[in-house]
Amino acid sequence: MLTGSIRGRWHLGARIGKGGFGEIYIAYDFKTQLHVAIKFEKSGCEKEALRFEIEVLTKMQSSVFVPNFIFSGCNKEYNFLVMDLQGPNLASIRRNHKNRCFSLLTTVKIGIEMIKAIKDIHKAGYIHRDIKPSNFVLRRGTKLVDLIKGRPSNERSTLTCMLDFGLARKYLDKEKRIIKSRGEVGFRGTARYASLNSHIGQDLSRRDDFWSLFYLLVEFLKGELPWSRVKDRKLIFELKKKFTNRNLVKGLPSQFALFLKYIIKLKFPDIPDYKYLISLLKQALHESDCKERDKIMDWEKD
Ligand code: ADP
């Protein structure tokens, strides 16, 4: 547990997250008098994923879907990254929500933002490789009404933002050509949301971010996936192989079957059709009987 202050500027508060490689703390910035989030990683640790994460976050600063980068540094004990403090992550929001699922409106609104966020990271030359609900947080202070009314695009006024670029990977070379698949490289990502390609250890590409997004959206709507209660990765793989078909989207708007049909066809180097996937989500909402008064996000209802 870290306490005290960093560089005499950031006073550490509570720990708000703990992941595979690091810990995230809330901190008070004496200079700006605002709260921030600081991600720590032990220095000298084998992977030094934070250094790479900082590289990706910095390159993505023109995207409205990432937190604002504030500072990064290191000392003998740890490397750290200071960024804007955001709200709770979508995994915890879903878990604490009624029936553990989100309405179609909420799923579509945040799903569209997620597609745009993925498009932005792809545009920056990286694949994320760990798309999952805990890697998206609610943007602090944003309400649905802001989103509906629209804000200037240079303001970061989105509803959600994307985090955690520790597993991201470049997919373009210096000449902006797609780096060829390296073949079998081992599992990457999080078992529940990983694509079948990842389970068989194949090198990942842009399509795999959409496979993870697909599983995430189904989980949001249904409250669980057939392998949600399973911990063993091999068993998850078996269940995923068995259930990744039309049955998985049974009971959902037909556009989710089209989403699945589309991503099944994507090959390693293909550019995903972001617009098409967004249009499917919009259509799903349009065709539903979601009334105007229901146009409020699930977490704003209480
Ligand atoms: P790890 O790479 O160690 O898994 P993440 O970057 O995924 O760490 O962060 C873990 C959790 O910490 C997130 O799910 C989120 O709840 C919280 N978190 C991380 N960054 C922020 C931030 N800028 N603002 C608010 N919460 C954050």
Side-chain angles (χ1 to χ4, degrees), residues 22 149 172 218 247 281 288:
K149 283 190 175 163
L172 295 175
V218 173
N247 282 335
L281 294 188
S288 75

Side-chain angles (χ1 to χ4, degrees), residues 8 124 130 180 241 247 263 275 286:
D130 202 15
K180 283 207 179 91
K241 270 195 294 186
N247 282 335
I263 57 172
K275 264 195 186 158
H286 185 71

Side-chain angles (χ1 to χ4, degrees), residues 25-276:
Y25 285 77
I26 191 167
Y28 180 72
D29 188 340
F30 292 119
K31 193 172 161 191
T32 60
Q33 302 186 344
L34 295 171
H35 284 98
V36 295
I38 308 187
K39 186 166 183 174
F40 291 95
E41 170 196 72
K42 276 208 181 87
S43 68
C45 83
E46 215 184 297
K47 282 224 145 179
E48 299 241 334
L50 195 62
R51 200 187 303 251
F52 186 68
E53 172 155 10
I54 291 163
E55 180 189 314
V56 182
L57 181 63
T58 327
K59 287 210 179 120
M60 282 199 69
Q61 285 300 288
S62 60
S63 167
V64 293
F65 294 104
V66 296
N68 196 18
F69 168 86
I70 297 174
F71 190 82
S72 67
C74 57
N75 65 19
K76 266 196 220 146
E77 288 163 64
Y78 46 75
N79 308 321
F80 66 95
L81 157 65
V82 186
M83 58 191 145
D84 276 352
L85 177 68
Q86 303 300 339
N89 72 56
L90 290 172
S92 67
I93 296 177
R94 186 190 66 83
R95 267 198 311 271
N96 295 320
H97 202 258
K98 212 172 42 186
N99 301 332
R100 305 180 131 221
C101 57
F102 288 143
S103 65
L104 182 65
L105 175 80
T106 299
T107 305
V108 165
K109 288 275 178 197
I110 52 190
I112 290 173
E113 289 205 349
M114 286 170 170
I115 295 175
K116 291 180 178 172
I118 295 172
K119 184 181 177 190
D120 283 352
I121 189 172
H122 291 176
K123 213 165 87 190
Y126 300 90
I127 42 175
H128 188 284
R129 302 200 303 176
D130 202 15
I131 295 295
K132 59 178 174 180
S134 61
N135 281 341
F136 287 88
V137 280
L138 274 195
R139 195 169 276 289
R140 212 156 64 117
T142 308
K143 291 242 163 67
L144 180 67
V145 65
D146 298 329
L147 193 81
I148 292 169
K149 283 190 175 163
R151 288 257 184 97
S153 57
N154 59 353
E155 250 185 63
R156 296 213 165 111
S157 57
T158 61
L159 196 61
T160 59
C161 73
M162 184 194 249
L163 295 176
D164 196 0
F165 307 104
L167 263 191
R169 187 179 161 82
K170 271 197 178 115
Y171 71 95
L172 295 175
D173 64 16
K174 287 203 179 92
E175 276 80 44
K176 304 258 180 229
R177 285 179 311 221
I178 294 166
I179 300 169
K180 283 207 179 91
S181 166
R182 296 166 299 161
E184 215 173 311
V185 292
F187 180 85
R188 297 284 183 285
T190 300
R192 186 183 293 180
Y193 307 97
S195 66
L196 291 170
N197 297 319
S198 185
H199 281 279
I200 55 171
Q202 284 298 304
D203 204 8
L204 304 181
S205 71
R206 284 173 287 188
R207 63 178 173 179
D208 299 285
D209 283 342
F210 282 99
W211 271 104
S212 301
L213 181 70
F214 171 73
Y215 292 132
L216 172 159
L217 293 174
V218 173
E219 184 186 51
F220 276 5
L221 288 170
K222 292 195 161 186
E224 61 176 0
L225 290 161
W227 49 89
S228 286
R229 288 159 211 261
V230 180
K231 290 260 179 306
D232 179 64
R233 202 168 75 207
K234 286 206 176 96
L235 192 51
I236 291 179
F237 177 47
E238 292 309 318
L239 291 167
K240 228 180 246 182
K241 270 195 294 186
K242 192 170 161 201
F243 289 103
T244 300
N245 54 38
R246 289 190 72 89
N247 282 335
L248 193 57
V249 288
K250 214 168 158 184
L252 301 183
S254 59
Q255 288 77 13
F256 288 88
L258 295 175
F259 196 118
L260 174 62
K261 196 172 160 197
Y262 175 76
I263 57 172
I264 284 175
K265 285 199 194 128
L266 285 176
K267 307 247 170 3
F268 181 89
D270 287 351
I271 308 173
D273 190 342
Y274 308 95
K275 264 195 186 158
Y276 173 65

